[in-house]
Amino acid sequence: AAQEDAKKKRQWAKDKVLAGKGFTEDQRRENEKREEENRRRMQAERLHAGKVTAKDLISFETMEAADAMRGYAEVNRSLVSIGFLKSEIDSIKMVLAVILHTGNIDFCHVDGRDHCDVINVNALFTVADMLGLNPIELGEALKTHVTVTRGETIVRHLDV
């Protein structure tokens, strides 16, 4: 019961934040759907990285998890067999993880404004953490285009 209450309070706070940003009910539902998909992707990544908890194993389909583990092991063996060092393989995995997580960042048009905003800030924070960046600065970098010409800086806000 306490966990249920805590979950409801978190959802209420999240809805309040999203409503304050001008999101509609449909946009909030879409955001929840994306966050659930992202949570499942992150579970799969933990499985592939060998950081699996009992909770993760319960939530995966047994056949899918087994296939994923075999495929992951095969890729690792292939990389080693063609001569990649462990540090190089780790770098490849990190770059791929950053690319995949960046793809999880969703944007939407904010009513009454001529630019977009990040819908799922959790994905933004994940990418910023992986890159060692300030999440606010990363968000601004993803939402703007900056051009410097003859010493003049032009900042253009991007739209969806």
Side-chain angles (χ1 to χ4, degrees):
Q3 286 180 339
E4 182 80 22
D5 289 340
K7 185 176 181 181
K8 285 180 183 177
K9 285 180 184 178
R10 279 193 306 271
Q11 186 61 45
W12 176 82
K14 185 190 232 181
D15 287 345
K16 189 172 180 180
V17 167
L18 291 173
K21 287 187 171 185
F23 291 107
T24 66
E25 184 64 32
D26 288 339
Q27 289 172 323
R28 282 195 291 271
R29 270 190 245 119
E30 185 65 27
N31 183 48
E32 288 173 12
K33 181 181 171 185
R34 285 188 189 111
E35 285 187 356
E36 177 63 22
E37 290 170 358
N38 291 339
R39 186 185 65 74
R40 290 182 187 274
R41 280 189 207 117
M42 287 172 44
Q43 283 179 333
E45 288 167 10
R46 282 198 306 272
L47 175 68
H48 292 182
K51 299 175 184 174
V52 181
T53 65
K55 183 179 175 184
D56 292 332
L57 289 175
I58 290 169
S59 66
F60 284 114
E61 295 288 330
T62 308
M63 190 59 167
E64 289 178 10
D67 289 342
M69 289 171 59
R70 278 193 296 278
Y72 180 75
E74 186 177 334
V75 168
N76 279 331
R77 281 191 304 275
S78 298
L79 290 171
V80 169
S81 71
I82 60 175
F84 281 97
L85 302 174
K86 183 182 181 331
S87 62
E88 293 170 327
I89 294 171
D90 290 342
S91 294
I92 291 169
K93 290 176 188 177
M94 179 56 84
V95 169
L96 290 173
V98 167
I99 291 168
L100 291 171
H101 281 285
T102 301
N104 293 338
I105 300 174
D106 292 315
F107 301 89
C108 73
H109 177 77
V110 180
D111 293 336
R113 297 186 184 168
D114 62 348
H115 64 273
C116 63
D117 206 355
V118 174
I119 295 175
N120 52 346
V121 293
N122 292 341
L124 178 69
F125 274 73
T126 299
V127 173
D129 185 49
M130 293 174 82
L131 293 172
L133 299 173
N134 178 320
I136 294 170
E137 291 175 0
L138 177 61
E140 285 305 309
L142 292 172
K143 298 184 301 184
T144 58
H145 176 77
V146 179
T147 305
V148 179
T149 307
R150 297 182 188 163
E152 182 181 350
T153 303
I154 301 169
V155 178
R156 183 172 48 102
H157 293 279
L158 303 175
D159 200 350
V160 179

